[in-house]
Amino acid sequence: MVKCFFILFFLIVVAKGEGQPPDCTKKDVDIRQVRSLTKTVKGNPVWEVIITNKCPCSLLNLRLECRNFSITKVIDPAKLVVSNDGVCLVNNGNPVYDSSNFIFTYASMTMYPFKPLDFKITCG
């Protein structure tokens, strides 16, 4: 009887996918931007970018599409690394934790439409 219970328990856990990372997609990365009404750099408005991780696990190496990203200044370059190939690395590849916001700012005349490219999922 105990053996049947463990077999049944094992089948339920496997069927539910316990222990497997969740199927997080780009839709789980919410990117919003707010223009500062008071801050400027060299006459350009400062934009605050709020990235919300809606995945139940942390995201590593979150990369954003940022082709032709033209800025006056990234306020904290450690938060956003801009490469020449049109890809930006968020938080130096460090985790963007689940259910939390990651914020960086930049200065530009116009808002840039960041889009998530890819990331790795880490749970636990």
mmCIF file of all heavy atoms in Angstrom, residues 36-76:
data_model
loop_
_atom_site.group_PDB
_atom_site.id
_atom_site.type_symbol
_atom_site.label_atom_id
_atom_site.label_comp_id
_atom_site.label_asym_id
_atom_site.label_seq_id
_atom_site.Cartn_x
_atom_site.Cartn_y
_atom_site.Cartn_z
ATOM 1 N N SER A 36 11.021 62.058 -17.065
ATOM 2 C CA SER A 36 11.142 62.979 -15.944
ATOM 3 C C SER A 36 10.712 64.371 -16.386
ATOM 4 O O SER A 36 11.083 64.835 -17.462
ATOM 5 C CB SER A 36 12.590 63.026 -15.448
ATOM 6 O OG SER A 36 12.732 64.058 -14.488
ATOM 7 N N LEU A 37 9.949 65.017 -15.571
ATOM 8 C CA LEU A 37 9.511 66.379 -15.888
ATOM 9 C C LEU A 37 10.503 67.421 -15.378
ATOM 10 O O LEU A 37 10.415 68.589 -15.735
ATOM 11 C CB LEU A 37 8.129 66.630 -15.285
ATOM 12 C CG LEU A 37 7.009 65.737 -15.823
ATOM 13 C CD1 LEU A 37 5.701 66.017 -15.099
ATOM 14 C CD2 LEU A 37 6.843 65.911 -17.324
ATOM 15 N N THR A 38 11.457 66.986 -14.545
ATOM 16 C CA THR A 38 12.384 67.944 -13.942
ATOM 17 C C THR A 38 13.850 67.687 -14.273
ATOM 18 O O THR A 38 14.648 68.614 -14.247
ATOM 19 C CB THR A 38 12.220 67.940 -12.414
ATOM 20 O OG1 THR A 38 12.449 66.612 -11.927
ATOM 21 C CG2 THR A 38 10.832 68.384 -12.000
ATOM 22 N N LYS A 39 14.236 66.457 -14.582
ATOM 23 C CA LYS A 39 15.647 66.138 -14.820
ATOM 24 C C LYS A 39 15.975 66.188 -16.306
ATOM 25 O O LYS A 39 15.218 65.697 -17.141
ATOM 26 C CB LYS A 39 15.980 64.733 -14.299
ATOM 27 C CG LYS A 39 15.848 64.573 -12.816
ATOM 28 C CD LYS A 39 16.198 63.151 -12.414
ATOM 29 C CE LYS A 39 15.917 62.907 -10.951
ATOM 30 N NZ LYS A 39 16.177 61.516 -10.585
ATOM 31 N N THR A 40 17.146 66.770 -16.608
ATOM 32 C CA THR A 40 17.665 66.774 -17.970
ATOM 33 C C THR A 40 19.178 66.565 -17.923
ATOM 34 O O THR A 40 19.821 66.827 -16.906
ATOM 35 C CB THR A 40 17.374 68.091 -18.715
ATOM 36 O OG1 THR A 40 17.995 69.165 -18.015
ATOM 37 C CG2 THR A 40 15.889 68.341 -18.862
ATOM 38 N N VAL A 41 19.742 66.076 -19.031
ATOM 39 C CA VAL A 41 21.185 65.972 -19.203
ATOM 40 C C VAL A 41 21.499 66.615 -20.547
ATOM 41 O O VAL A 41 20.987 66.172 -21.583
ATOM 42 C CB VAL A 41 21.654 64.495 -19.180
ATOM 43 C CG1 VAL A 41 23.127 64.400 -19.536
ATOM 44 C CG2 VAL A 41 21.375 63.852 -17.836
ATOM 45 N N LYS A 42 22.280 67.683 -20.509
ATOM 46 C CA LYS A 42 22.627 68.423 -21.727
ATOM 47 C C LYS A 42 21.380 68.815 -22.528
ATOM 48 O O LYS A 42 21.337 68.704 -23.747
ATOM 49 C CB LYS A 42 23.584 67.622 -22.596
ATOM 50 C CG LYS A 42 24.914 67.349 -21.936
ATOM 51 C CD LYS A 42 25.830 66.575 -22.854
ATOM 52 C CE LYS A 42 27.122 66.260 -22.138
ATOM 53 N NZ LYS A 42 28.015 65.442 -22.954
ATOM 54 N N GLY A 43 20.326 69.199 -21.810
ATOM 55 C CA GLY A 43 19.095 69.632 -22.455
ATOM 56 C C GLY A 43 18.150 68.516 -22.873
ATOM 57 O O GLY A 43 17.052 68.782 -23.345
ATOM 58 N N ASN A 44 18.568 67.276 -22.697
ATOM 59 C CA ASN A 44 17.716 66.128 -23.054
ATOM 60 C C ASN A 44 16.997 65.595 -21.825
ATOM 61 O O ASN A 44 17.592 65.491 -20.752
ATOM 62 C CB ASN A 44 18.558 65.009 -23.665
ATOM 63 C CG ASN A 44 19.108 65.383 -25.011
ATOM 64 O OD1 ASN A 44 18.357 65.761 -25.900
ATOM 65 N ND2 ASN A 44 20.415 65.288 -25.167
ATOM 66 N N PRO A 45 15.728 65.232 -21.975
ATOM 67 C CA PRO A 45 15.000 64.681 -20.830
ATOM 68 C C PRO A 45 15.562 63.329 -20.401
ATOM 69 O O PRO A 45 16.123 62.594 -21.198
ATOM 70 C CB PRO A 45 13.569 64.531 -21.352
ATOM 71 C CG PRO A 45 13.675 64.519 -22.824
ATOM 72 C CD PRO A 45 14.917 65.292 -23.185
ATOM 73 N N VAL A 46 15.400 63.055 -19.132
ATOM 74 C CA VAL A 46 15.813 61.768 -18.567
ATOM 75 C C VAL A 46 14.603 60.847 -18.553
ATOM 76 O O VAL A 46 13.507 61.241 -18.143
ATOM 77 C CB VAL A 46 16.387 61.947 -17.144
ATOM 78 C CG1 VAL A 46 16.634 60.603 -16.476
ATOM 79 C CG2 VAL A 46 17.676 62.764 -17.197
ATOM 80 N N TRP A 47 14.817 59.618 -19.030
ATOM 81 C CA TRP A 47 13.776 58.593 -19.061
ATOM 82 C C TRP A 47 14.089 57.531 -18.027
ATOM 83 O O TRP A 47 15.231 57.068 -17.934
ATOM 84 C CB TRP A 47 13.705 57.950 -20.444
ATOM 85 C CG TRP A 47 13.334 58.906 -21.515
ATOM 86 C CD1 TRP A 47 14.169 59.717 -22.222
ATOM 87 C CD2 TRP A 47 12.022 59.172 -21.994
ATOM 88 N NE1 TRP A 47 13.461 60.469 -23.124
ATOM 89 C CE2 TRP A 47 12.135 60.148 -23.010
ATOM 90 C CE3 TRP A 47 10.758 58.670 -21.678
ATOM 91 C CZ2 TRP A 47 11.035 60.641 -23.697
ATOM 92 C CZ3 TRP A 47 9.664 59.166 -22.368
ATOM 93 C CH2 TRP A 47 9.804 60.137 -23.363
ATOM 94 N N GLU A 48 13.099 57.157 -17.236
ATOM 95 C CA GLU A 48 13.246 56.059 -16.279
ATOM 96 C C GLU A 48 12.601 54.825 -16.891
ATOM 97 O O GLU A 48 11.438 54.852 -17.279
ATOM 98 C CB GLU A 48 12.567 56.406 -14.955
ATOM 99 C CG GLU A 48 12.733 55.322 -13.912
ATOM 100 C CD GLU A 48 12.104 55.697 -12.594
ATOM 101 O OE1 GLU A 48 10.854 55.690 -12.506
ATOM 102 O OE2 GLU A 48 12.855 56.002 -11.659
ATOM 103 N N VAL A 49 13.389 53.754 -17.005
ATOM 104 C CA VAL A 49 12.909 52.498 -17.567
ATOM 105 C C VAL A 49 12.672 51.535 -16.415
ATOM 106 O O VAL A 49 13.569 51.295 -15.606
ATOM 107 C CB VAL A 49 13.934 51.901 -18.561
ATOM 108 C CG1 VAL A 49 13.408 50.604 -19.156
ATOM 109 C CG2 VAL A 49 14.276 52.898 -19.652
ATOM 110 N N ILE A 50 11.455 51.008 -16.341
ATOM 111 C CA ILE A 50 11.083 50.072 -15.284
ATOM 112 C C ILE A 50 10.820 48.716 -15.931
ATOM 113 O O ILE A 50 9.868 48.573 -16.698
ATOM 114 C CB ILE A 50 9.835 50.541 -14.512
ATOM 115 C CG1 ILE A 50 10.074 51.942 -13.938
ATOM 116 C CG2 ILE A 50 9.476 49.564 -13.406
ATOM 117 C CD1 ILE A 50 9.057 52.935 -14.344
ATOM 118 N N ILE A 51 11.684 47.750 -15.633
ATOM 119 C CA ILE A 51 11.521 46.393 -16.146
ATOM 120 C C ILE A 51 10.958 45.548 -15.018
ATOM 121 O O ILE A 51 11.576 45.435 -13.955
ATOM 122 C CB ILE A 51 12.861 45.804 -16.627
ATOM 123 C CG1 ILE A 51 13.441 46.671 -17.752
ATOM 124 C CG2 ILE A 51 12.685 44.356 -17.072
ATOM 125 C CD1 ILE A 51 14.832 46.267 -18.186
ATOM 126 N N THR A 52 9.790 44.971 -15.241
ATOM 127 C CA THR A 52 9.159 44.112 -14.242
ATOM 128 C C THR A 52 9.242 42.671 -14.715
ATOM 129 O O THR A 52 8.809 42.345 -15.818
ATOM 130 C CB THR A 52 7.686 44.508 -14.022
ATOM 131 O OG1 THR A 52 7.636 45.883 -13.655
ATOM 132 C CG2 THR A 52 7.051 43.663 -12.930
ATOM 133 N N ASN A 53 9.811 41.831 -13.865
ATOM 134 C CA ASN A 53 9.909 40.403 -14.153
ATOM 135 C C ASN A 53 8.663 39.720 -13.600
ATOM 136 O O ASN A 53 8.513 39.571 -12.395
ATOM 137 C CB ASN A 53 11.170 39.824 -13.515
ATOM 138 C CG ASN A 53 11.257 38.329 -13.677
ATOM 139 O OD1 ASN A 53 10.480 37.715 -14.404
ATOM 140 N ND2 ASN A 53 12.207 37.722 -13.000
ATOM 141 N N LYS A 54 7.771 39.299 -14.483
ATOM 142 C CA LYS A 54 6.536 38.630 -14.064
ATOM 143 C C LYS A 54 6.686 37.107 -14.017
ATOM 144 O O LYS A 54 5.744 36.403 -13.672
ATOM 145 C CB LYS A 54 5.398 39.016 -15.005
ATOM 146 C CG LYS A 54 5.052 40.491 -14.930
ATOM 147 C CD LYS A 54 3.918 40.827 -15.861
ATOM 148 C CE LYS A 54 3.552 42.291 -15.752
ATOM 149 N NZ LYS A 54 2.423 42.623 -16.622
ATOM 150 N N CYS A 55 7.861 36.622 -14.360
ATOM 151 C CA CYS A 55 8.152 35.189 -14.292
ATOM 152 C C CYS A 55 8.340 34.814 -12.815
ATOM 153 O O CYS A 55 8.881 35.605 -12.047
ATOM 154 C CB CYS A 55 9.438 34.917 -15.084
ATOM 155 S SG CYS A 55 10.029 33.219 -15.005
ATOM 156 N N PRO A 56 7.921 33.612 -12.394
ATOM 157 C CA PRO A 56 8.095 33.222 -10.996
ATOM 158 C C PRO A 56 9.537 32.868 -10.634
ATOM 159 O O PRO A 56 9.820 32.497 -9.497
ATOM 160 C CB PRO A 56 7.177 32.003 -10.845
ATOM 161 C CG PRO A 56 7.014 31.473 -12.212
ATOM 162 C CD PRO A 56 7.136 32.629 -13.145
ATOM 163 N N CYS A 57 10.459 32.989 -11.577
ATOM 164 C CA CYS A 57 11.879 32.739 -11.330
ATOM 165 C C CYS A 57 12.679 33.966 -11.758
ATOM 166 O O CYS A 57 12.170 34.851 -12.438
ATOM 167 C CB CYS A 57 12.353 31.526 -12.129
ATOM 168 S SG CYS A 57 11.571 29.994 -11.616
ATOM 169 N N SER A 58 13.949 33.993 -11.385
ATOM 170 C CA SER A 58 14.823 35.096 -11.777
ATOM 171 C C SER A 58 15.264 34.946 -13.226
ATOM 172 O O SER A 58 15.348 33.833 -13.745
ATOM 173 C CB SER A 58 16.057 35.135 -10.871
ATOM 174 O OG SER A 58 15.678 35.391 -9.546
ATOM 175 N N LEU A 59 15.552 36.072 -13.854
ATOM 176 C CA LEU A 59 16.041 36.086 -15.233
ATOM 177 C C LEU A 59 17.518 36.472 -15.232
ATOM 178 O O LEU A 59 17.893 37.477 -14.633
ATOM 179 C CB LEU A 59 15.259 37.098 -16.069
ATOM 180 C CG LEU A 59 13.735 36.976 -16.054
ATOM 181 C CD1 LEU A 59 13.112 38.074 -16.900
ATOM 182 C CD2 LEU A 59 13.307 35.607 -16.538
ATOM 183 N N LEU A 60 18.334 35.668 -15.883
ATOM 184 C CA LEU A 60 19.759 35.958 -16.029
ATOM 185 C C LEU A 60 20.044 36.365 -17.463
ATOM 186 O O LEU A 60 19.365 35.916 -18.388
ATOM 187 C CB LEU A 60 20.601 34.725 -15.702
ATOM 188 C CG LEU A 60 20.625 34.247 -14.266
ATOM 189 C CD1 LEU A 60 21.383 32.926 -14.159
ATOM 190 C CD2 LEU A 60 21.259 35.288 -13.368
ATOM 191 N N ASN A 61 21.068 37.180 -17.639
ATOM 192 C CA ASN A 61 21.491 37.600 -18.975
ATOM 193 C C ASN A 61 20.325 38.133 -19.808
ATOM 194 O O ASN A 61 20.187 37.789 -20.978
ATOM 195 C CB ASN A 61 22.189 36.455 -19.724
ATOM 196 C CG ASN A 61 23.464 36.041 -19.031
ATOM 197 O OD1 ASN A 61 24.248 36.885 -18.615
ATOM 198 N ND2 ASN A 61 23.662 34.753 -18.883
ATOM 199 N N LEU A 62 19.506 38.969 -19.189
ATOM 200 C CA LEU A 62 18.390 39.579 -19.908
ATOM 201 C C LEU A 62 18.954 40.552 -20.936
ATOM 202 O O LEU A 62 19.672 41.495 -20.606
ATOM 203 C CB LEU A 62 17.452 40.310 -18.946
ATOM 204 C CG LEU A 62 16.330 41.130 -19.570
ATOM 205 C CD1 LEU A 62 15.422 40.262 -20.446
ATOM 206 C CD2 LEU A 62 15.527 41.839 -18.496
ATOM 207 N N ARG A 63 18.635 40.276 -22.199
ATOM 208 C CA ARG A 63 19.101 41.119 -23.298
ATOM 209 C C ARG A 63 17.908 41.790 -23.970
ATOM 210 O O ARG A 63 16.878 41.161 -24.172
ATOM 211 C CB ARG A 63 19.899 40.291 -24.307
ATOM 212 C CG ARG A 63 21.133 39.675 -23.686
ATOM 213 C CD ARG A 63 22.011 38.873 -24.622
ATOM 214 N NE ARG A 63 21.333 38.313 -25.773
ATOM 215 C CZ ARG A 63 21.888 38.214 -26.989
ATOM 216 N NH1 ARG A 63 23.109 38.625 -27.201
ATOM 217 N NH2 ARG A 63 21.213 37.676 -27.986
ATOM 218 N N LEU A 64 18.093 43.071 -24.280
ATOM 219 C CA LEU A 64 17.058 43.862 -24.934
ATOM 220 C C LEU A 64 17.511 44.246 -26.326
ATOM 221 O O LEU A 64 18.710 44.446 -26.571
ATOM 222 C CB LEU A 64 16.775 45.144 -24.145
ATOM 223 C CG LEU A 64 16.427 45.015 -22.672
ATOM 224 C CD1 LEU A 64 16.255 46.403 -22.069
ATOM 225 C CD2 LEU A 64 15.189 44.172 -22.477
ATOM 226 N N GLU A 65 16.540 44.369 -27.211
ATOM 227 C CA GLU A 65 16.833 44.906 -28.539
ATOM 228 C C GLU A 65 17.032 46.406 -28.387
ATOM 229 O O GLU A 65 16.183 47.100 -27.817
ATOM 230 C CB GLU A 65 15.671 44.637 -29.480
ATOM 231 C CG GLU A 65 15.875 45.182 -30.860
ATOM 232 C CD GLU A 65 14.669 44.964 -31.739
ATOM 233 O OE1 GLU A 65 14.019 43.913 -31.627
ATOM 234 O OE2 GLU A 65 14.375 45.871 -32.536
ATOM 235 N N CYS A 66 18.159 46.896 -28.877
ATOM 236 C CA CYS A 66 18.390 48.338 -28.788
ATOM 237 C C CYS A 66 19.186 48.845 -29.987
ATOM 238 O O CYS A 66 20.068 49.687 -29.854
ATOM 239 C CB CYS A 66 19.053 48.711 -27.474
ATOM 240 S SG CYS A 66 20.637 47.945 -27.152
ATOM 241 N N ARG A 67 18.833 48.327 -31.153
ATOM 242 C CA ARG A 67 19.462 48.776 -32.403
ATOM 243 C C ARG A 67 19.166 50.267 -32.598
ATOM 244 O O ARG A 67 18.049 50.720 -32.369
ATOM 245 C CB ARG A 67 18.899 47.967 -33.564
ATOM 246 C CG ARG A 67 19.618 48.164 -34.869
ATOM 247 C CD ARG A 67 19.143 47.203 -35.934
ATOM 248 N NE ARG A 67 18.963 45.821 -35.508
ATOM 249 C CZ ARG A 67 19.956 44.931 -35.383
ATOM 250 N NH1 ARG A 67 21.182 45.286 -35.634
ATOM 251 N NH2 ARG A 67 19.694 43.697 -34.989
ATOM 252 N N ASN A 68 20.185 51.008 -32.983
ATOM 253 C CA ASN A 68 20.085 52.461 -33.191
ATOM 254 C C ASN A 68 19.705 53.223 -31.927
ATOM 255 O O ASN A 68 19.104 54.292 -31.999
ATOM 256 C CB ASN A 68 19.090 52.792 -34.311
ATOM 257 C CG ASN A 68 19.479 52.162 -35.617
ATOM 258 O OD1 ASN A 68 20.651 52.131 -35.972
ATOM 259 N ND2 ASN A 68 18.501 51.628 -36.316
ATOM 260 N N PHE A 69 20.037 52.669 -30.778
ATOM 261 C CA PHE A 69 19.770 53.335 -29.505
ATOM 262 C C PHE A 69 20.740 54.504 -29.381
ATOM 263 O O PHE A 69 21.932 54.326 -29.218
ATOM 264 C CB PHE A 69 19.943 52.336 -28.360
ATOM 265 C CG PHE A 69 19.699 52.895 -26.983
ATOM 266 C CD1 PHE A 69 18.573 53.632 -26.698
ATOM 267 C CD2 PHE A 69 20.594 52.634 -25.965
ATOM 268 C CE1 PHE A 69 18.330 54.119 -25.424
ATOM 269 C CE2 PHE A 69 20.374 53.111 -24.681
ATOM 270 C CZ PHE A 69 19.241 53.853 -24.412
ATOM 271 N N SER A 70 20.234 55.697 -29.522
ATOM 272 C CA SER A 70 21.052 56.905 -29.482
ATOM 273 C C SER A 70 20.712 57.678 -28.219
ATOM 274 O O SER A 70 19.566 58.102 -28.032
ATOM 275 C CB SER A 70 20.773 57.757 -30.719
ATOM 276 O OG SER A 70 21.501 58.954 -30.652
ATOM 277 N N ILE A 71 21.708 57.830 -27.371
ATOM 278 C CA ILE A 71 21.459 58.478 -26.086
ATOM 279 C C ILE A 71 22.502 59.547 -25.822
ATOM 280 O O ILE A 71 23.592 59.526 -26.376
ATOM 281 C CB ILE A 71 21.475 57.453 -24.929
ATOM 282 C CG1 ILE A 71 22.807 56.698 -24.905
ATOM 283 C CG2 ILE A 71 20.308 56.506 -25.020
ATOM 284 C CD1 ILE A 71 22.994 55.833 -23.696
ATOM 285 N N THR A 72 22.137 60.454 -24.958
ATOM 286 C CA THR A 72 23.099 61.432 -24.473
ATOM 287 C C THR A 72 23.953 60.782 -23.394
ATOM 288 O O THR A 72 25.159 60.908 -23.391
ATOM 289 C CB THR A 72 22.368 62.660 -23.887
ATOM 290 O OG1 THR A 72 21.523 63.191 -24.901
ATOM 291 C CG2 THR A 72 23.343 63.700 -23.417
ATOM 292 N N LYS A 73 23.292 60.051 -22.503
ATOM 293 C CA LYS A 73 24.021 59.413 -21.407
ATOM 294 C C LYS A 73 23.147 58.352 -20.737
ATOM 295 O O LYS A 73 21.976 58.593 -20.478
ATOM 296 C CB LYS A 73 24.421 60.459 -20.369
ATOM 297 C CG LYS A 73 25.187 59.895 -19.205
ATOM 298 C CD LYS A 73 25.582 60.972 -18.229
ATOM 299 C CE LYS A 73 26.342 60.367 -17.076
ATOM 300 N NZ LYS A 73 26.681 61.340 -16.050
ATOM 301 N N VAL A 74 23.742 57.179 -20.494
ATOM 302 C CA VAL A 74 23.119 56.221 -19.593
ATOM 303 C C VAL A 74 23.584 56.633 -18.209
ATOM 304 O O VAL A 74 24.782 56.741 -17.955
ATOM 305 C CB VAL A 74 23.567 54.769 -19.902
ATOM 306 C CG1 VAL A 74 23.028 53.817 -18.841
ATOM 307 C CG2 VAL A 74 23.086 54.338 -21.270
ATOM 308 N N ILE A 75 22.651 56.892 -17.327
ATOM 309 C CA ILE A 75 23.007 57.447 -16.027
ATOM 310 C C ILE A 75 23.879 56.472 -15.223
ATOM 311 O O ILE A 75 24.837 56.867 -14.600
ATOM 312 C CB ILE A 75 21.734 57.826 -15.232
ATOM 313 C CG1 ILE A 75 20.849 58.760 -16.071
ATOM 314 C CG2 ILE A 75 22.078 58.443 -13.902
ATOM 315 C CD1 ILE A 75 21.506 60.037 -16.540
ATOM 316 N N ASP A 76 23.591 55.191 -15.271
ATOM 317 C CA ASP A 76 24.404 54.178 -14.582
ATOM 318 C C ASP A 76 24.744 53.068 -15.579
ATOM 319 O O ASP A 76 23.955 52.154 -15.781
ATOM 320 C CB ASP A 76 23.644 53.612 -13.384
ATOM 321 C CG ASP A 76 24.488 52.648 -12.564
ATOM 322 O OD1 ASP A 76 25.620 52.308 -12.984
ATOM 323 O OD2 ASP A 76 24.022 52.232 -11.491
#
